[in-house]
Amino acid sequence: MSEEQIRIAKDLLAEGVGLIAAAGYINNEGGQAIADAASELMDQGCKTLVIDLDGTRIINSIGVSILLEILEKLMDEKGRLAFCNLTPTIAKTFEIMGLVQYATVYPDRLAARAALEGHAAV
Amino acid sequence: MEVVLHLPVVPNAELVAAKAVETLGRALGMHQTQVEAASVAMVEACLNAMEHGGGPVTVRLRGDNHSRPCLVIEVEDHGRGFDPERAPRNSSSRVLGSTSKRGWGLTLIRELMDEVQIQSAPGRTVVAMRKYVESAP
């Protein structure tokens, strides 16, 4: 499958808001790649992270469990986690596994930026 | 039409079966969301089989029109088996703070598929799942 290898890009969405764009299979390796990007952005002072999953169609529970660990780290730092561009199946999987009870889901990157700009500098 | 795959226990072998779910699901007229749900459930079944089955995993896929049109997926392994009634049912309320966040496979399979049957005995476990064909919204 072409999406076997995950592709990660990270950037600043707004002041204090890190963006991680992840496209591909979120398994243990994909989840870890996202976690590594999250750690780098947190080290740069980002307390709010947005994970954009546009281009991700398939995930597994091992990968999602790593996303839960990112959420825990952010919550320990009084930070926030958000997602955007989720497929209905990924959104349902996150709901089943408890991720969306503590993270915010936005329809797309623009909506995430509009909601989070100005709220991230803690 | 039936597709039978024998998957070796190697990283990402489950994606081969996911591709087959995608191809067969589309041929049956399933909406993309149903295909993706079936793919995630099948991936979880394969991962469980590879982790606990101790050897190659067999995946069978076919369309069925007995009562309602559906995609049927069977994942078979030859491990020591387990009691489905005693399998963990995870709850989202106990996720955060837990040292182990694993064990979600069966919960996801049951939530994402329309019917799930598990037959397990020492030497042979079969997880049989059905996803009904639904027309695109």
Side-chain angles (χ1 to χ4, degrees):
Chain A
M1 182 175 278
S2 60
E3 62 184 359
E4 180 174 325
Q5 187 71 38
I6 197 160
R7 298 171 301 283
I8 301 282
K10 61 181 192 301
D11 201 353
L12 284 179
L13 192 63
E15 186 181 350
V17 182
L19 171 72
I20 300 167
Y25 183 29
I26 300 183
N27 56 357
N28 54 333
E29 292 173 2
Q32 191 55 53
I34 294 172
D36 291 344
S39 292
E40 290 175 23
L41 287 166
M42 289 175 71
D43 289 345
Q44 292 169 22
C46 293
K47 286 193 171 183
T48 298
L49 295 182
V50 178
I51 301 177
D52 183 344
L53 294 184
D54 192 19
T56 291
R57 294 286 176 272
I58 192 157
I59 57 177
N60 70 35
S61 56
I62 303 171
V64 180
S65 69
I66 297 172
L67 301 184
L68 283 163
E69 292 173 2
I70 297 171
L71 172 64
E72 283 182 335
K73 279 187 185 175
L74 280 166
M75 290 176 73
D76 287 346
E77 301 293 324
K78 310 290 185 206
R80 291 191 293 180
L81 180 63
F83 294 94
C84 66
N85 286 314
L86 302 184
T87 67
T89 296
I90 292 176
K92 184 171 182 179
T93 302
F94 284 4
E95 182 182 343
I96 295 165
M97 292 184 66
L99 207 47
V100 295
Q101 281 93 318
Y102 304 95
T104 310
V105 177
Y106 297 103
D108 53 38
R109 201 180 290 190
L110 281 177
R113 171 182 278 177
L116 295 170
E117 228 167 15
H119 292 275
V122 180
Chain B
M1 175 167 48
E2 184 179 45
V3 176
V4 181
L5 299 167
H6 300 288
L7 302 179
V9 183
V10 297
N12 297 332
E14 68 276 10
L15 290 182
V16 176
K19 188 68 180 174
V21 168
E22 187 179 332
T23 302
L24 189 53
R26 284 183 180 165
L28 291 170
M30 295 175 75
H31 185 253
Q32 182 65 19
T33 299
Q34 271 78 49
V35 171
E36 289 171 357
S39 293
V40 170
M42 192 275 315
V43 161
E44 293 297 327
C46 286
L47 293 176
N48 277 348
M50 288 175 185
E51 184 172 352
H52 304 293
V57 172
T58 301
V59 179
R60 296 183 197 85
L61 308 165
R62 67 178 186 279
D64 187 21
N65 202 12
H66 183 64
S67 57
R68 293 171 62 183
C70 67
L71 172 65
V72 180
I73 305 171
E74 294 176 356
V75 178
E76 178 179 340
D77 71 66
H78 300 281
R80 62 185 179 184
F82 69 104
D83 182 352
E85 295 303 315
R86 294 189 175 190
R89 287 176 184 263
N90 270 356
S91 162
S92 60
S93 62
R94 69 162 192 82
V95 168
L96 292 186
S98 168
T99 53
S100 174
K101 294 175 175 55
R102 298 284 310 279
W104 281 94
L106 283 179
T107 303
L108 288 175
I109 290 167
R110 287 180 170 124
E111 293 283 341
L112 293 172
M113 298 300 279
D114 293 313
E115 291 181 27
V116 179
Q117 291 182 322
I118 302 170
Q119 295 180 318
S120 187
R124 186 171 185 263
T125 293
V126 179
V127 178
M129 306 167 269
R130 286 173 180 261
K131 190 72 176 171
Y132 297 125
V133 175
E134 295 181 14
S135 54

